Amino acid sequence: MLKHSTPSSRRRRLDRVPAVPAQPHNHRPFRFPEATEGTEGEEGSWTTTDDSQAQDNSVHADGQSHSSTLAKALSKETDGLLLPVALGRAEPAQPKVAPPSQSKSGETLAKRTGRGRSRRTRKVNEKAYSGEPQARMEPVGPGNESAGAPSQVDGASVAAADDDRSAESARLLNEGHQRWEGDRCPICFLFVGLPIGEHAKMNVCCMKSVCEGCSLASQQRGIYDRCPFCRTPHPPDDASSLAMIQKRVSKGDAEAIFHLAGQYCFGGLGLPKDVPRAIELWTDAAELGSVHAHCNLGARYYNGDNVQKDKPRGIQHWQEAAMKGHVLSRHLLGIDSFDEGNYKLAVQHWVISAKMGHEKSLDAIKDLFIEGHATKAQYAEALRGYGDAFKEMKSHQREEAKRIGFQ
């Protein structure tokens, strides 16, 4: 059965509760004291604003001041944290935190600030107010580079150049693994054997190189005095041949321009020998996409033959042709790498050209393998690739032309 408390009993219980001092009506939560610029308190601490001083009037239940307790802890643990203001920089915003408990106020603040940081900042603060001149940090830029510090722009340019060279090297080795389509016979569509000049004949009427097997087959069918491909009658003399070539040149035929440059270079078809004119025509043909012109220009600039020697320019022409599948240019790049002592790169170039049917590249890899500069796997890969390419260039008509010595 519940007992109802009487007024006298309630009065006796309330008498046991100790009286609590009343809080002021304008009590506000504690905030870190804000520094006033140019003033300093004792022991390196900063004087507070009127707002922070007003907060010192707030009283705990035990009668001690919140702000005075935390101000002492701040002067011991966070001295120098307001240093950026003294150095002329923007003052960081102070975080607003809830008031800590009565017994752990100083301990809580010490954990938040950290003693290691306070020691470092205290040393800097003492040095800042000692009157000694302070070193000023200046940004490094195009107008104020120091002698010992490289510009960031130069570093970025060097890194970008290295990336470009790496990308170009990767592209050079990844492209041009298939022969240029212009090396195919237009009749049988098989790649012409290497070197092309020994296994095919150029027809000036259409600027097509027909392999010896198809030329033999056309003669066996009674076609003797005309082109096996376009059926145009063969020119009777050099003047007629030159007229046919110039007609193709006027149409912008890259192969016709390349062929005309060769006539100027060696003085053929009644033309005077004019190497500078030949180089101009080869340049035009290369701009129109002739890989043979790129190869010839590369040899001229690389060796300085009738032009100012410029090896990088010559190598660039070879690279342009090699990436389009020109076998001889790829082989010449391997020779350049070999001369520079870069046997690894030389083998990589020669493996590519050997797999396209270049016998001299295969022999070069064999020699490097004997000397220990190429692996057995690389030589085996080149040998298998060369065998496959050689089989693809064989035909019954070509074998017969070779057997009877047809040219």
Side-chain angles (χ1 to χ4, degrees):
M1 182 175 180
L2 297 176
K3 293 181 180 182
H4 297 281
S5 60
T6 61
S8 59
S9 63
R10 286 197 299 271
R11 190 180 303 110
R12 286 193 298 270
R13 286 195 298 270
L14 291 175
D15 293 340
R16 299 192 189 100
V17 179
V20 180
Q23 298 288 345
H25 180 69
N26 59 350
H27 173 72
R28 288 174 291 179
F30 169 76
R31 297 180 181 178
F32 282 109
E34 298 178 358
T36 56
E37 185 173 341
T39 60
E40 185 181 6
E42 297 180 355
E43 298 181 1
S45 61
W46 292 81
T47 59
T48 60
T49 60
D50 295 339
D51 183 41
S52 61
Q53 290 176 357
Q55 295 176 6
D56 289 341
N57 297 328
S58 60
V59 182
H60 277 293
D62 57 356
Q64 293 183 355
S65 171
H66 245 330
S67 300
S68 60
T69 303
L70 290 178
K72 292 179 180 179
L74 181 64
S75 63
K76 294 180 180 179
E77 302 296 336
T78 62
D79 184 21
L81 289 180
L82 300 177
L83 181 61
V85 176
L87 293 179
R89 300 178 184 174
E91 178 183 357
Q94 298 294 339
K96 298 180 180 180
V97 296
S101 62
Q102 174 186 354
S103 61
K104 298 183 179 180
S105 58
E107 181 183 356
T108 304
L109 184 60
K111 289 181 179 180
R112 290 178 180 175
T113 56
R115 294 184 178 272
R117 181 183 178 187
S118 63
R119 293 194 187 97
R120 290 194 299 269
T121 53
R122 184 179 295 110
K123 291 180 180 179
V124 178
N125 194 11
E126 292 174 356
K127 189 175 181 180
Y129 289 98
S130 63
E132 299 179 3
Q134 301 294 317
R136 185 179 179 184
M137 299 295 293
E138 294 288 346
V140 179
N144 60 347
E145 298 92 342
S146 60
S151 174
Q152 296 180 359
V153 178
D154 295 340
S157 301
V158 172
D162 293 339
D163 293 341
D164 293 341
R165 284 193 293 267
S166 299
E168 187 67 22
S169 299
R171 180 189 172 196
L172 178 62
L173 294 175
N174 292 332
E175 296 183 7
H177 289 233
Q178 299 293 329
R179 284 183 65 177
W180 184 54
E181 290 296 321
D183 289 345
R184 292 184 182 272
C185 173
I187 297 177
C188 65
F189 292 102
L190 297 177
F191 282 115
V192 180
L194 298 173
I196 295 179
E198 297 180 4
H199 299 87
K201 181 180 179 181
M202 169 68 71
N203 294 277
V204 296
C205 51
C206 57
M207 306 307 300
K208 299 294 184 182
S209 296
V210 180
C211 70
E212 53 192 10
C214 292
S215 297
L216 175 61
S218 63
Q219 290 188 10
Q220 291 174 346
R221 297 177 182 177
I223 303 175
Y224 297 97
D225 57 347
R226 59 189 63 206
C227 174
F229 179 71
C230 66
R231 301 295 195 268
T232 300
H234 292 305
D237 50 24
D238 291 344
S240 301
S241 298
L242 182 59
M244 287 184 175
I245 296 173
Q246 291 176 339
K247 182 179 179 181
R248 302 285 302 181
V249 169
S250 62
K251 301 295 183 181
D253 190 334
E255 292 305 314
I257 298 174
F258 167 76
H259 194 74
L260 181 61
Q263 303 306 318
Y264 274 108
C265 182
F266 300 105
L269 298 180
L271 293 174
K273 186 176 181 178
D274 190 349
V275 178
R277 175 58 178 163
I279 294 176
E280 292 179 3
L281 291 173
W282 277 330
T283 304
D284 295 339
E287 292 176 355
L288 292 174
S290 174
V291 294
H292 303 299
H294 274 299
C295 183
N296 283 10
L297 286 174
R300 292 283 174 173
Y301 285 109
Y302 189 89
N303 298 316
D305 190 1
N306 296 110
V307 293
Q308 185 178 0
K309 188 174 183 179
D310 190 350
K311 290 181 66 174
R313 186 174 180 179
I315 293 174
Q316 184 178 2
H317 279 293
W318 288 341
Q319 290 175 347
E320 291 291 335
M323 287 188 292
K324 294 181 180 180
H326 193 253
V327 183
L328 182 57
S329 296
R330 178 72 70 175
H331 177 74
L332 294 174
L333 287 175
I335 293 177
D336 174 70
S337 300
F338 178 83
D339 292 341
E340 295 294 331
N342 193 346
Y343 302 123
K344 180 179 179 181
L345 183 58
V347 171
Q348 290 176 328
H349 284 305
W350 285 336
V351 167
I352 296 174
S353 54
K355 292 170 69 174
M356 290 189 289
H358 198 261
E359 186 176 2
K360 291 184 178 180
S361 297
L362 180 64
D363 295 338
I365 297 175
K366 181 181 178 180
D367 295 337
L368 288 181
F369 171 65
I370 295 174
E371 296 174 1
H373 298 300
T375 64
K376 182 178 180 180
Q378 289 175 327
Y379 179 56
E381 179 185 2
L383 189 60
R384 287 193 300 266
Y386 175 79
D388 294 339
F390 187 78
K391 290 179 181 179
E392 293 177 357
M393 292 184 292
K394 292 178 63 175
S395 68
H396 175 71
Q397 290 83 2
R398 292 181 182 181
E399 292 295 324
E400 185 177 357
K402 182 179 179 179
R403 180 178 58 83
I404 65 176
F406 178 82
Q407 293 181 351

